[in-house]
């Protein structure tokens, strides 16, 4: 029988498949073996990477500034200013993250158990 463009025998067949799947004993899917173990994110490594990035940015800005001061024609004042601003913004963001971590530490230490 056809109802509104859908064949009821197809619906019945699908319902039968769902019932069969529901009554089948649940088998655990085989574990997927990977060649490399998945590394969990490590907070200390992430923090060290961020600090190293800030340090590299500051070193680059300082290097460009010194080259400009020495009269290197390949360095533009705009490049120096942009690199200094990037380093400053990264440092400020790092300081804000540090402040949030210290505040979270104090909040946890002040919790009553």
């Amino acid at each position: 029988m056809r109802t509104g463009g859908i064949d009821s025998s197809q619906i019945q067949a699908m319902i039968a498949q769902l019932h069969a799947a529901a009554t089948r004993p649940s088998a655990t899917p085989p574990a997927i073996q990977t060649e490399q173990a998945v590394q969990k994110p490590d907070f200390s490594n992430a923090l060290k990477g961020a600090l190293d990035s800030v340090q590299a940015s500051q070193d680059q800005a300082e290097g460009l500034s010194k080259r400009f001061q020495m009269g290197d024609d390949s360095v533009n004042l705009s490049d120096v200013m942009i690199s200094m601003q990037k380093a400053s913004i990264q440092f400020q963001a790092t300081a804000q993250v540090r402040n949030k971590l210290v505040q979270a530490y104090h909040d946890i230490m002040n919790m009553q158990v």
Side-chain angles (χ1 to χ4, degrees):
M1 179 171 152
R2 199 164 181 93
T3 335
I6 299 174
D7 189 6
S8 63
S9 63
Q10 291 177 346
I11 294 173
Q12 293 300 326
M14 184 174 284
I15 290 173
Q17 288 176 355
L18 289 173
H19 282 301
T23 57
R24 204 175 316 146
S26 64
T28 57
I32 298 174
Q33 297 294 326
T34 58
E35 293 178 14
Q36 297 177 355
V38 177
Q39 288 184 334
K40 295 180 182 177
D42 186 18
F43 179 75
S44 63
N45 287 341
L47 185 61
K48 183 175 179 354
L51 292 175
D52 289 344
S53 173
V54 170
Q55 181 64 41
S57 177
Q58 288 178 338
D59 290 343
Q60 179 189 11
E62 184 180 350
L64 282 175
S65 175
K66 283 183 181 180
R67 285 176 48 198
F68 182 76
Q69 290 172 3
M70 297 292 246
D72 189 351
D73 292 335
S74 65
V75 179
N76 296 332
L77 178 60
S78 61
D79 292 339
V80 174
M81 296 304 292
I82 289 172
S83 67
M84 290 177 74
Q85 285 299 314
K86 284 182 181 180
S88 175
I89 290 170
Q90 285 183 340
F91 180 76
Q92 289 173 6
T94 303
Q96 290 298 320
V97 169
R98 181 202 57 124
N99 293 342
K100 291 290 184 180
L101 288 173
V102 169
Q103 183 62 41
Y105 174 77
H106 286 295
D107 290 346
I108 290 171
M109 293 305 293
N110 291 331
M111 283 184 180
Q112 294 182 3
V113 181

